Amino acid sequence: MQKSQKHQGAAKIHRMYRQPVQGIEPYCSSHIQILDNNMCSDVGSQGTSVSFQTYKEQFYTLESSSATTGFTYDSPSAVSISSNRSPFSPQGSQSCLSDPHHSPDNAYGSPMSGSSVVDDGSELRNKLRELEISLLGPESDIIDSGSCCFKSGMHQETSVSWNWDQLMEMIPRLDLKQVLIFCAQAVSDGDTSTAAGLMHALEQMVSVSGDPMQRLGAYMLEGLRARLEFSGSKIYKALKCEQPTSSELMSYMHILYLICPYWKFAYMSANVVIGEAVENERMIHIIDFQIAQGTQWVFLLQTLAKRPGGPPFVRITGIDDTQSIHARGGGLDIVGQKLSRVAASCNVPFEFHDAAMTGCEVQREHLSILPGEAVVVNFPYVLHHMPDESVSTVNHRDRLLRLVKSLSPKVVTLVEQESKTNTSPFFHRFLETLDYYTAMFECIDVACPRDDKKRISAEQHCVARDIVNMIACEGAERVERHELLGKWRSRFMMAGFTPYQLSPAVTNAVYDVLKEYNSNYRVAEHDGALYLGWRNRAMATSSAWR
């Protein structure tokens, strides 16, 4: 790994982060799929109000300002939108003095919780506000009296002169999230000396076994350092290391699958839609653009086996990539054998067709469409990995949608992280990533002990590298390029699709899944799509098209 004159490389620096738990392997993650928010309208990235419903039939709206009965969140303002995985890949800001044990719900100082650790003195608040305005302009809202909530996308990207002495004086009394934001601004401005100083301060504040913000901060800091010290392909060379074994990787992914509902949300919502769309079909061809372990189709095959009049004939085309091969410890034949055994046990006529390639490589001839079969296409947290017009002149993102439309599918299911990182400028993207993954680390925190070594490894190998990729990389090497549902809607409609209305059965099925998880998960239907949220943050959306 290359080293700068001031700092060692990312993997080396990570050893400086406080790690109270013994035996934790240093951060060096592989790129795997997890799942992966701002609420959006039908057009581009404009914000809209969405109400999240809890299991007790309580309603919350994003326009509410009460910290006890609701919450506020402002979607990013519109930026140019043109142009590979996350905790969806199987994914209270406190300093190092924070309580090492679990904090009560809503106590992390995140935009979700509405609380903060900011000095009560009016003099300090005034100084912070003055400094904030000098850095980000009068419209900024990073630091507020009594709250560190920020509004993603509302900050002006300006190059200014920092008051270093004043900032250093304030750092000991600043919230961890605020220091991260100031550091990102320094990196964005190319102020390397200020950024290096803030990174040194951050090293003392973050911990991979701390509270959610401390853990997230460790990986955000890793991304900032990688961006500051390297560029282009050097970033991946610096971050790349020996991957965990297949069995270890499967174990990490399984941990997240169990403690977070994002993949179950994707599988269940899509399966209900597909089951309804092919209710009267006798020949069904499912094309899955991220087959992974094939787990989703086990449930569907079992459901189709119970169909009155007997099960249909089912063909599944599984599209693969090298990461899935590594996680499984083998090729698509493993998935085909697994699903064939399930189908045989259910007496479902079945055939598996493999397409061992990435989505970018898929052409019509790879899909083996047969006359008379009802085609179903599934995009589970994968379409955001396809480069669009800002990355490639081929624009695989829209090309695939046009290809799928040419198959005249009965239904196309789309599940994606509800986030906006595709073409956002670096600083806006940093704020969005910080906001989104604050919620992600909070929901992991309530489900797994902080000193759990497997949980720490799962975050490092299944979440952290996605975060670093979004912060440190640009161009074709930035493969984590999420878009809001409003933008996906525009892309689908431009390709000739129309929305497929979700039935109440889809929402009810998701409610049943969420009964197994923390009550802070919420679900809401808006404009024909289903939103899964954590407190006030929309984390994922499920929609269908035809």
Side-chain angles (χ1 to χ4, degrees), residues 83-269:
S83 28
N84 272 271
R85 301 197 202 195
S86 95
F88 308 97
S89 297
Q91 43 93 199
S93 174
Q94 299 176 356
S95 70
C96 58
L97 301 178
S98 61
D99 186 355
H101 304 292
H102 279 278
S103 300
D105 282 351
N106 234 19
Y108 299 126
S110 68
M112 289 73 78
S113 60
S115 64
S116 172
V117 183
V118 178
D119 187 87
D120 291 333
S122 59
E123 181 179 358
L124 176 61
R125 288 200 301 272
N126 291 336
K127 286 184 178 180
L128 287 174
R129 183 60 184 170
E130 290 173 3
L131 179 59
E132 175 197 354
I133 291 174
S134 71
L135 296 176
L136 304 177
E139 298 302 319
S140 62
D141 192 24
I142 291 180
I143 302 173
D144 198 0
S145 54
S147 172
C148 70
C149 298
F150 62 86
K151 302 176 181 179
S152 300
M154 298 300 291
H155 309 290
Q156 299 179 10
E157 299 220 38
T158 57
S159 179
V160 298
S161 175
W162 289 68
N163 186 327
W164 176 246
D165 292 337
Q166 186 180 20
L167 186 58
M168 288 298 99
E169 178 184 349
M170 295 177 185
I171 282 180
R173 302 167 78 179
L174 282 177
D175 183 277
L176 171 56
K177 179 173 288 188
Q178 295 165 351
V179 179
L180 283 168
I181 293 172
F182 282 133
C183 187
Q185 181 68 58
V187 171
S188 178
D189 291 343
D191 187 346
T192 56
S193 60
T194 298
L198 289 169
M199 287 178 184
H200 178 72
L202 286 167
E203 287 166 4
Q204 317 306 315
M205 303 173 73
V206 301
S207 169
V208 296
S209 58
D211 66 34
M213 183 52 60
Q214 289 173 321
R215 303 199 311 265
L216 174 58
Y219 305 126
M220 299 291 281
L221 174 57
E222 203 75 50
L224 288 171
R225 191 179 302 282
R227 185 178 184 90
L228 187 65
E229 296 187 353
F230 303 97
S231 62
S233 61
K234 293 181 180 179
I235 294 174
Y236 269 139
K237 291 178 181 178
L239 296 175
K240 212 165 187 179
C241 64
E242 184 179 353
Q243 290 182 323
T245 65
S246 297
S247 59
E248 289 174 337
L249 184 52
M250 285 296 292
S251 175
Y252 302 150
M253 295 165 68
H254 187 62
I255 290 171
L256 292 177
Y257 178 82
L258 291 177
I259 67 177
C260 297
Y262 301 110
W263 276 105
K264 293 182 182 178
F265 166 75
Y267 293 167
M268 185 60 67
S269 60

Side-chain angles (χ1 to χ4, degrees), residues 483-500:
E483 292 186 320
L484 301 174
L485 178 59
K487 182 59 179 179
W488 290 120
R489 187 184 301 275
S490 297
R491 290 189 185 276
F492 269 81
M493 296 184 73
M494 286 174 61
F497 288 95
T498 57
Y500 185 100

Side-chain angles (χ1 to χ4, degrees), residues 227-454:
R227 185 178 184 90
L228 187 65
E229 296 187 353
F230 303 97
S231 62
S233 61
K234 293 181 180 179
I235 294 174
Y236 269 139
K237 291 178 181 178
L239 296 175
K240 212 165 187 179
C241 64
E242 184 179 353
Q243 290 182 323
T245 65
S246 297
S247 59
E248 289 174 337
L249 184 52
M250 285 296 292
S251 175
Y252 302 150
M253 295 165 68
H254 187 62
I255 290 171
L256 292 177
Y257 178 82
L258 291 177
I259 67 177
C260 297
Y262 301 110
W263 276 105
K264 293 182 182 178
F265 166 75
Y267 293 167
M268 185 60 67
S269 60
N271 279 357
V272 174
V273 171
I274 293 170
E276 293 177 343
V278 299
E279 182 178 9
N280 299 315
E281 301 294 338
R282 302 308 305 172
M283 294 179 60
I284 303 169
H285 184 182
I286 299 170
I287 302 172
D288 190 347
F289 272 81
Q290 186 60 62
I291 191 70
Q293 315 307 314
T295 304
Q296 176 175 357
W297 311 120
V298 172
F299 304 126
L300 185 63
L301 289 171
Q302 293 171 342
T303 299
L304 293 174
K306 302 173 184 178
R307 178 190 284 187
F313 176 79
V314 179
R315 296 178 69 225
I316 294 181
T317 292
I319 298 168
D320 203 17
D321 60 28
T322 55
Q323 184 57 53
S324 292
I325 293 173
H326 175 73
R328 285 193 305 266
L332 279 169
D333 57 306
I334 295 176
V335 179
Q337 293 167 12
K338 170 185 175 180
L339 294 178
S340 294
R341 288 194 297 269
V342 172
S345 68
C346 299
N347 295 317
V348 176
F350 180 77
E351 180 180 303
F352 184 80
H353 172 240
D354 62 81
M357 62 189 68
T358 65
C360 292
E361 300 173 293
V362 173
Q363 302 291 337
R364 187 185 179 101
E365 56 266 26
H366 298 134
L367 302 177
S368 300
I369 305 298
L370 298 179
E373 60 185 10
V375 175
V376 171
V377 178
N378 188 48
F379 286 114
Y381 302 117
V382 67
L383 202 52
H384 73 272
H385 294 145
M386 304 300 108
D388 69 353
E389 64 273 11
S390 69
V391 181
S392 169
T393 56
V394 179
N395 188 0
H396 291 288
R397 192 169 295 199
D398 291 344
R399 178 190 70 82
L400 281 178
L401 294 183
R402 293 192 298 269
L403 170 62
V404 168
K405 181 60 179 176
S406 73
L407 306 178
S408 300
K410 292 288 293 186
V411 70
V412 178
T413 53
L414 173 72
V415 181
E416 279 290 349
Q417 292 97 306
E418 182 67 356
S419 184
K420 180 181 178 181
T421 62
N422 185 17
T423 57
S424 299
F426 163 70
F427 187 57
H428 290 266
R429 189 167 73 245
F430 180 90
L431 296 179
E432 174 71 356
T433 303
L434 179 61
D435 186 43
Y436 186 88
Y437 282 95
T438 296
M440 178 59 61
F441 276 75
E442 285 185 1
C443 70
I444 293 174
D445 193 67
V446 300
C448 208
R450 290 180 184 172
D451 59 355
D452 188 306
K453 295 180 181 179
K454 291 184 178 179

